[in-house]
Amino acid sequence: MVVVHSAVFDVLQNEAQLAFVLSHEISHAVEKHTWQELHYHRAELAALRAGGVFVPFGGSLVTSLAASGIESQYMRSLEGQADRVGIEWMLAAGYDIREAPASWKALSLQKGDRPMNPLWDTHDNLTTRRSYLMAELKNNYSDVDYSKLKKDSEQFHKVAEMVKKFEADNKKKDD
């Protein structure tokens, strides 16, 4: 089951952007990123947190910073993999892959205007991610015939309007 937060319809501009965000998030599950993250350098991280021999000067602040640096670097690599897989799946489904970086741009423009939301809060530095995707497209997809790829559909906009209407109706009920 895939759950789509209703706010994506306020932010994403077309079906191809939604296809990228969904393929990116689904790739986390398919690639077992949560499991990998939990097991990545588990022994080293445990030793660091315990003040082990891996960190000279071994204070708790230094060990916490070192452990957190290892974890965040690995998390960034998993996000990069999810971006690459997302582009591959988008292209295989016939979507315009130029909309992948545009989706991160759309999300980055909205990030500061939103309350805490899992979609925004786990994907920090969306501007850097957008630049990474643009480089991926240039380096690995320069021969793609974009004229045959779809970007948008009337159905996407109908669903977006239905979601927005539902949200507005529920907000009126709550007030």
Side-chain angles (χ1 to χ4, degrees):
M1 177 183 349
V2 175
V3 177
V4 177
H5 193 282
S6 61
V8 300
F9 293 105
D10 293 332
V11 177
L12 301 179
Q13 301 161 345
N14 58 54
E15 186 175 339
Q17 290 179 7
L18 178 63
F20 171 70
V21 170
L22 290 174
S23 61
H24 169 95
E25 295 303 330
I26 291 168
S27 76
H28 283 304
V30 170
E31 299 293 333
K32 299 181 173 101
H33 286 169
T34 301
W35 182 87
Q36 288 179 31
E37 191 178 332
L38 290 172
H39 291 85
Y40 181 74
H41 287 307
R42 187 188 334 205
E44 291 90 340
L45 291 171
L48 282 170
R49 288 189 182 103
V53 296
F54 292 100
V55 177
F57 314 115
S60 64
L61 177 60
V62 172
T63 57
S64 293
L65 290 174
S68 124
I70 290 170
E71 288 173 332
S72 76
Q73 181 181 13
Y74 188 64
M75 286 171 46
R76 280 192 300 274
S77 73
L78 296 179
E79 288 298 329
Q81 181 184 29
D83 284 347
R84 290 188 304 276
V85 170
I87 288 175
E88 290 175 21
W89 290 352
M90 249 182 110
L91 185 58
Y95 285 102
D96 186 337
I97 56 177
R98 294 174 295 187
E99 292 300 311
S103 65
W104 286 145
K105 181 178 182 179
L107 288 169
S108 72
L109 294 173
Q110 296 294 316
K111 188 172 181 175
D113 298 338
R114 295 266 169 214
M116 215 165 150
N117 178 313
L119 182 62
W120 281 260
D121 296 336
T122 60
H123 294 87
D124 57 2
N125 205 346
L126 297 174
T127 304
T128 301
R129 304 272 304 285
R130 177 179 172 265
S131 298
Y132 170 77
L133 284 175
M134 290 171 68
E136 277 290 309
L137 295 180
K138 181 181 176 187
N139 294 333
N140 299 315
Y141 296 93
S142 59
D143 60 343
V144 169
D145 180 4
Y146 290 102
S147 67
K148 297 180 181 180
L149 299 177
K150 60 186 169 185
K151 178 177 174 180
D152 209 1
S153 72
E154 190 176 315
Q155 185 178 10
F156 170 82
H157 294 285
K158 284 181 181 177
V159 170
E161 286 306 313
M162 288 171 44
V163 169
K164 289 174 189 177
K165 183 180 180 331
F166 179 80
E167 292 275 311
D169 290 348
N170 279 339
K171 187 174 181 174
K172 286 179 189 175
K173 288 178 188 177
D174 291 342
D175 292 340

